[in-house]
Amino acid sequence: MDDEQLAERFEANRPRLAALAYRMLGSPTEAHDAVQEAWLRLSRTNTDRIENLNGWLTTIVAHICIDMLRTRTSRREDPLDERLPEPLISQDGSDPEEQALLADAVGVAMLVVLDTLTPAERLAFVLHDLFQMPFDEIARILDRSPTATRQLASRARRRVRAAPVPDPDMSRQRAVVDAFLTASKNGDLEALVATLAPDIVLRAEAEGEFLHLRGAREIAQRAIAFSFRAEFARPALINGTAGLVVATEDEPIAVMAFTVVNDKIAELDIYADPARLATLNLPLFDVP
């Protein structure tokens, strides 16, 4: 196989490899780095010895992701340190191919749960449950028995089941988020509470702090306190679900990812830390 053919084969695999890496790492930036590292390793390898290129690339990306997760954990000074996964952000009505990719994305709520798994649990779950890879193949990647690998995936699955599953109808998601935004703009506490599930969970990065709140009324009261910023909110797709980007002409203020379940907001993840917002790849939005 010559260099041009090899590059073509790799590019054909890139979307699948990027999806795998993002689900493993929770960061589009790190996922891109993992895929590029896989290309570098491939370019240095005698491809005549590779019988199944797709499988070889999957294995390499999996190993790279596990190494990155382990390095991330070892560098974390505070074991209680929390950080939201890096979101995929797009404007409503943008490129159809991009929307199709986002529609198949793992939501922020699930990524939060995936971040609680060990690297081995995460790989076993992602490869088997999301990519339908047989356990015997995953076992070879992890250097464990198929039985042990199945147990890893089972433990991960029990944790992941705690993540709420968004309503599949995007128009209904958007209607709930619009109602939330309208109530916030009007300072209508009761209307705002009506959009929230009673046991709603809010996670927020703000000014170097991580907030974790539960309960419709407390969260609605906090939203009312910041209602003056609601006029700067614009609809967006956040990991394929309805969300908002709040920004002025000068700076981004917040990214809000909603998980809508049974026509109520079950989880709300807010990125409002200026340092973190500066790292996100935000699309350009029309602002007032």
Side-chain angles (χ1 to χ4, degrees), residues 1 4-13 53-54 57:
M1 187 183 308
E4 185 175 348
Q5 291 174 321
L6 187 65
E8 289 177 356
R9 292 282 302 278
F10 182 83
E11 289 303 317
N13 275 276
L53 182 61
N54 293 358
L57 288 170

Side-chain angles (χ1 to χ4, degrees), residues 10-260:
F10 182 83
E11 289 303 317
N13 275 276
R14 184 184 289 274
R16 179 180 61 84
L17 298 174
L20 167 61
Y22 180 61
R23 285 151 181 77
M24 282 295 297
L25 300 170
S27 164
T29 303
E30 291 184 353
H32 174 77
D33 291 344
V35 174
Q36 285 303 109
E37 175 62 22
W39 165 248
L40 292 175
R41 295 189 188 186
L42 177 63
S43 64
R44 297 193 297 261
T45 300
N46 182 356
T47 56
D48 292 338
R49 298 180 180 180
I50 300 177
E51 295 181 2
N52 179 349
L53 182 61
N54 293 358
W56 187 91
L57 288 170
T58 298
T59 299
I60 292 299
V61 169
H63 280 300
I64 292 170
C65 289
I66 283 182
D67 288 344
M68 293 174 73
L69 287 174
R70 288 172 176 164
T71 299
R72 180 193 298 172
T73 301
S74 66
R75 288 179 177 173
R76 185 174 295 166
E77 296 180 1
D78 182 355
L80 299 179
D81 183 37
E82 292 187 84
R83 181 180 175 88
L84 290 172
E86 186 179 341
L88 294 166
I89 306 169
S90 176
Q91 283 184 271
D92 285 353
S94 59
D95 181 76
E97 291 185 8
E98 185 179 46
Q99 284 206 22
L101 175 63
L102 287 167
D104 193 40
V106 174
V108 172
M110 180 180 283
L111 284 174
V112 168
V113 176
L114 290 177
D115 276 346
T116 68
L117 305 178
T118 67
E121 287 172 341
R122 189 164 184 166
L123 183 69
F125 173 80
V126 168
L127 287 180
H128 182 265
D129 287 46
L130 302 184
F131 286 82
Q132 290 77 53
M133 181 179 284
F135 281 120
D136 57 345
E137 294 182 24
I138 304 171
R140 287 195 289 272
I141 295 174
L142 290 173
D143 194 23
R144 304 194 185 200
S145 69
T147 299
T149 303
R150 188 183 300 273
Q151 291 172 344
L152 287 171
S154 179
R155 287 201 299 268
R157 196 175 300 117
R158 287 195 294 270
R159 299 286 292 276
V160 169
R161 283 174 182 159
V165 179
D167 292 342
D169 189 331
M170 178 58 67
S171 63
R172 293 180 69 172
Q173 287 187 38
R174 180 56 64 193
V176 174
V177 173
D178 287 347
F180 172 94
L181 183 59
T182 298
S184 180
K185 286 180 178 178
N186 294 337
D188 190 334
L189 180 63
E190 296 307 318
L192 197 54
V193 169
T195 68
L196 308 177
D199 58 348
I200 178 178
V201 172
L202 178 143
R203 292 175 290 261
E205 294 179 356
E207 301 294 340
E209 295 182 329
F210 192 94
L211 302 177
H212 196 142
L213 304 174
R214 183 184 293 272
R217 188 157 294 274
E218 180 179 1
I219 292 170
Q221 288 171 340
R222 285 181 175 261
I224 289 292
F226 292 93
S227 61
F228 67 95
R229 292 180 172 176
E231 65 177 294
F232 300 110
R234 294 293 179 269
L237 286 173
I238 314 294
N239 283 59
T241 61
L244 297 170
V245 170
V246 186
T248 66
E249 291 182 353
D250 300 321
E251 61 179 352
I253 297 172
V255 171
M256 305 175 69
F258 296 79
T259 302
V260 177

